[in-house]
Amino acid sequence: MAASLSNLTRFVFRLSSTVCPLLRQVQRLPVRRLGPARYLCEAPSLQDDNAVRALEARDRYKEKPWEYLESEEYLERYGNGPVWAGYRRNHKGAIPPQKTRRTCIRGDHVCGNPCPVCRDSNLIVHHQNVKLLQQFISPHTGALYDPTRTGVCMKQQKKLTEAIDMAQDQGLLPFQIPHVEFSGEDYSNSHDAVGCTPPAPCLSSGETWYRWYGEITPDEGEVAKVKKIYKAYLKS
């Protein structure tokens, strides 16, 4: 019995000495993660459902960006005010910068505290997104707000200018035309710009157009050359 136990311990020791290095090598191998493991009987988590819904909403808002301004997510985040209300840019010192940054997103790098449009990926500047464009137009003058007031970067400010111009050209946004009063003289022939031009004084009095014309005596040789050239056209 003692001999069998000793043989069993020797076998286990030899087996462990050969298996342990293999396990260590397997643990050192790089592990490639393909994604969260799912089983057939396991229900999808709530986080995965929210992520899928967010991606679907983002794709829908890219095609129809005006639907985001009517969604509950927008109302919870911004309420009834404009998207740039309450925005403050981080800056050093007490005096704010006189110009906004050129752009907030450069490649994959996003600057700290991006502008009101760049910080929300669902806000897409489009000429049909009228509700968003109206937030950047003054209701009194009809002009686009200065970027120092809204905090929008220069890249988004350029997009807003182009989108507002296109929306006004297509009749989606109203624009003001200055009122000009016309008098009755502007539609009659009595105005100096459209009236009859009086004849020149030289044609009525018989004098030359310029007075110094009469003081010049032409060269007889040059006159003879001209008459010879246009002999066929001169009246006898």
Side-chain angles (χ1 to χ4, degrees), residues 98-109:
Q98 301 301 317
K99 293 183 180 180
T100 58
R101 59 174 67 93
R102 298 178 64 181
T103 180
C104 300
I105 302 173
R106 296 180 180 178
D108 297 335
H109 176 70

Side-chain angles (χ1 to χ4, degrees), residues 229-235:
I229 294 172
Y230 297 100
K231 181 175 59 175
Y233 301 96
L234 294 176
K235 295 181 180 180

Side-chain angles (χ1 to χ4, degrees), residues 14 17 24 40 44 73 86 89 99 102 105-106 127 130 135 151 157 164 168 171-172 176 189 193 202 209 220 225 233:
R14 291 177 183 177
S17 62
R24 291 174 183 174
L40 297 176
E73 180 183 359
R89 179 184 173 183
K99 293 183 180 180
R102 298 178 64 181
I105 302 173
R106 296 180 180 178
H127 68 277
V130 178
Q135 298 179 6
Q157 184 75 6
I164 289 173
Q168 290 177 352
L172 300 176
Q176 297 179 357
N189 294 333
C202 64
W209 189 274
E220 295 181 358
K225 290 180 182 180
Y233 301 96

Side-chain angles (χ1 to χ4, degrees), residues 155-170:
K155 183 177 180 180
Q156 297 293 343
Q157 184 75 6
K158 184 178 180 181
K159 290 183 178 180
L160 286 169
T161 305
E162 295 176 353
I164 289 173
D165 292 342
M166 187 177 295
Q168 290 177 352
D169 292 340
Q170 296 184 4

Side-chain angles (χ1 to χ4, degrees), residues 197-216:
T197 304
C202 64
L203 300 177
S204 58
S205 61
E207 298 179 357
T208 57
W209 189 274
Y210 297 103
R211 294 182 179 180
W212 50 271
Y213 276 1
E215 300 176 359
I216 296 175

Side-chain angles (χ1 to χ4, degrees), residues 4 30 81 101 111 121 124 127 148 150 162 164 177 188 192 202 220 224:
S4 62
R101 59 174 67 93
C111 67
S121 59
I124 300 175
H127 68 277
T148 56
T150 58
E162 295 176 353
I164 289 173
I177 300 176
S188 62
D192 295 338
C202 64
E220 295 181 358

Side-chain angles (χ1 to χ4, degrees), residues 65-153:
W66 51 87
E67 291 184 355
Y68 175 63
L69 277 76
E70 300 177 355
S71 62
E72 297 180 357
E73 180 183 359
Y74 175 84
L75 295 176
E76 291 177 359
R77 185 170 184 178
Y78 301 103
N80 296 326
V83 296
W84 51 267
Y87 173 79
R88 295 294 181 270
R89 179 184 173 183
N90 297 334
H91 58 85
K92 296 181 179 179
I95 302 175
Q98 301 301 317
K99 293 183 180 180
T100 58
R101 59 174 67 93
R102 298 178 64 181
T103 180
C104 300
I105 302 173
R106 296 180 180 178
D108 297 335
H109 176 70
V110 181
C111 67
N113 191 16
C115 72
V117 180
C118 294
R119 67 183 176 182
D120 193 350
S121 59
N122 294 328
L123 290 175
I124 300 175
V125 179
H126 195 270
H127 68 277
Q128 294 181 353
N129 197 358
V130 178
K131 290 186 178 180
L132 178 62
L133 299 180
Q134 288 177 345
Q135 298 179 6
F136 295 90
I137 299 176
S138 174
H140 307 289
T141 61
L144 181 64
Y145 283 132
D146 193 81
T148 56
R149 178 176 182 181
T150 58
V152 178
C153 63

